[in-house]
């Protein structure tokens, strides 16, 4: 992982809550010093930082909008104070409120906002982090989504941006080889806040039906995603350019 005896360092974008928070905790448990990143959720970011501190290590929280290139470069500098980074999780993301079937209702400024964070942000963070990841023998995992691979009940801007994340993962795995591996996870319907916002009043019924249709008989939890992210970062040295679907077998069997 690194030639030095120091603890490895990780940067997880969009990590105040949800998948990012779970990834930060999992990496801290694995012995990483973690930089968490947030844009607006300062209170929740600092709560997550307290949880990391309880695990032990040198952790920090940095506010940065990943669509702002100058802020991104400052973020990477903070995450790699000794010029080495060993893991990058590109998780920062946002969505639109426009229903997936409402083509006429798409606001193009809103579309651009989603792509600035989900796609441009990923590119900017990866570009800024590439030199320190090479120095640290590091690896990247991008957080895509099942709707980047097949249609689902997500707004068109979000689904299209996650399809771009899938494509970028494969392209970057070649562009950054051989020094940096690049993979992605594509979670299915994750129980919790994100799907509650997406499904609204239908959340309980639809999630229950989804669990019944899933071979493993439950829905995805953020900890499931974090475990796969950790494995891709550290346990698969000859795997790059791959998209790991995390949905309990739903996509493979329906």
């Amino acid at each position: 992982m690194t030639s030095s005896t120091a603890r490895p360092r990780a940067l997880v974008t969009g990590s105040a809550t949800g998948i990012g928070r779970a990834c930060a905790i999992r990496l801290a448990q694995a012995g990483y010093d973690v930089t968490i990143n947030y844009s607006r959720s300062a209170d929740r970011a600092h709560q997550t930082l307290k949880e990391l501190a309880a695990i032990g290590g040198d952790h920090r929280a940095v506010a940065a909008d990943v669509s702002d290139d100058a802020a991104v470069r400052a973020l990477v500098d903070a995450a790699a104070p000794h010029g080495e980074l060993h893991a990058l999780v590109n998780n920062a993301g946002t969505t639109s409120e426009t229903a997936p079937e409402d083509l006429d209702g798409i606001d193009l400024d809103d579309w651009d906002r989603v792509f600035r964070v989900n796609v441009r942000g990923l590119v900017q963070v990866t570009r800024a982090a590439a030199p320190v990841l090479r120095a640290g023998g590091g690896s990247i995992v991008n957080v895509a989504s099942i709707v980047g691979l097949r249609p689902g009940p997500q707004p068109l801007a979000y689904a299209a941006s996650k399809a771009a994340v899938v494509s970028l993962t494969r392209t970057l795995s070649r562009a950054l080889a051989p020094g940096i591996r690049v993979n992605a996870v594509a979670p299915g319907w994750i129980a919790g806040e994100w799907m509650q916002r997406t499904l609204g009043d239908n959340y309980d019924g639809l999630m229950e039906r989804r669990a019944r249709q899933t071979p493993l008989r439950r829905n995805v939890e953020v900890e499931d995603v974090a475990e796969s992210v950790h494995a891709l970062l550290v346990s698969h040295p000859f795997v790059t350019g791959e998209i790991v679907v995390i949905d309990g077998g739903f996509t493979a069997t329906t």
Side-chain angles (χ1 to χ4, degrees):
M1 190 178 297
T2 174
S3 59
S4 71
T5 58
R7 289 163 54 96
R9 304 200 68 91
L11 167 60
V12 184
T13 66
S15 44
T17 62
I19 292 173
R21 171 186 168 276
C23 289
I25 290 172
R26 181 65 184 90
L27 290 173
Q29 291 170 339
Y32 283 79
D33 291 333
V34 182
T35 296
I36 62 172
N37 155 250
Y38 64 97
S39 178
R40 294 183 298 274
S41 304
D43 290 343
R44 298 186 74 174
H46 287 288
Q47 178 57 45
T48 298
L49 189 61
K50 289 180 182 179
E51 296 178 63
L52 298 180
I55 297 169
D58 176 22
H59 311 296
R60 59 197 66 189
V62 180
D65 177 352
V66 298
S67 69
D68 180 333
D69 196 46
V72 161
R73 293 186 181 278
L75 169 64
V76 170
D77 287 344
H82 306 298
E84 290 187 357
L85 189 67
H86 308 92
L88 168 62
V89 182
N90 280 312
N91 171 72
T94 190
T95 189
S96 166
E97 299 301 321
T98 306
E101 67 276 5
D102 187 8
L103 184 62
D104 291 334
I106 293 174
D107 180 284
L108 293 180
D109 290 336
D110 194 40
W111 180 282
D112 290 343
R113 176 186 60 82
V114 172
F115 269 73
R116 279 197 304 272
V117 174
N118 296 6
V119 182
R120 173 177 166 165
L122 183 152
V123 171
Q124 290 183 160
V125 174
T126 300
R127 180 174 64 180
V132 289
L133 283 165
R134 285 196 187 94
S139 175
I140 299 171
V141 176
N142 300 322
V143 178
S145 168
I146 199 65
V147 295
L149 298 169
R150 58 181 285 176
Q154 295 281 6
L156 287 171
Y158 179 81
S161 74
K162 290 303 184 177
V165 170
V166 169
S167 178
L168 278 166
T169 297
R170 292 169 174 153
T171 303
L172 289 168
S173 71
R174 185 177 183 88
L176 297 178
I180 302 170
R181 294 184 302 108
V182 186
N183 293 289
V185 293
W189 290 19
I190 300 177
E193 294 179 16
W194 186 278
M195 289 307 297
Q196 285 173 340
R197 291 195 299 270
T198 299
L199 300 176
D201 293 340
N202 297 319
Y203 173 79
D204 290 334
L206 289 176
M207 292 296 282
E208 181 181 350
R209 185 178 73 181
R210 185 81 163 205
R212 289 198 308 269
Q213 295 171 339
T214 297
L216 296 187
R217 295 294 188 271
R218 66 174 177 85
N219 292 302
V220 188
E221 304 282 349
V222 292
E223 291 79 12
D224 299 318
V225 182
E227 200 62 48
S228 293
V229 167
H230 174 255
L232 284 169
L233 287 169
V234 305
S235 301
H236 300 290
F238 207 61
V239 175
T240 194
E242 293 298 325
I243 317 299
V244 176
V245 175
I246 308 170
D247 69 353
F250 180 88
T251 300
T253 59
T254 59

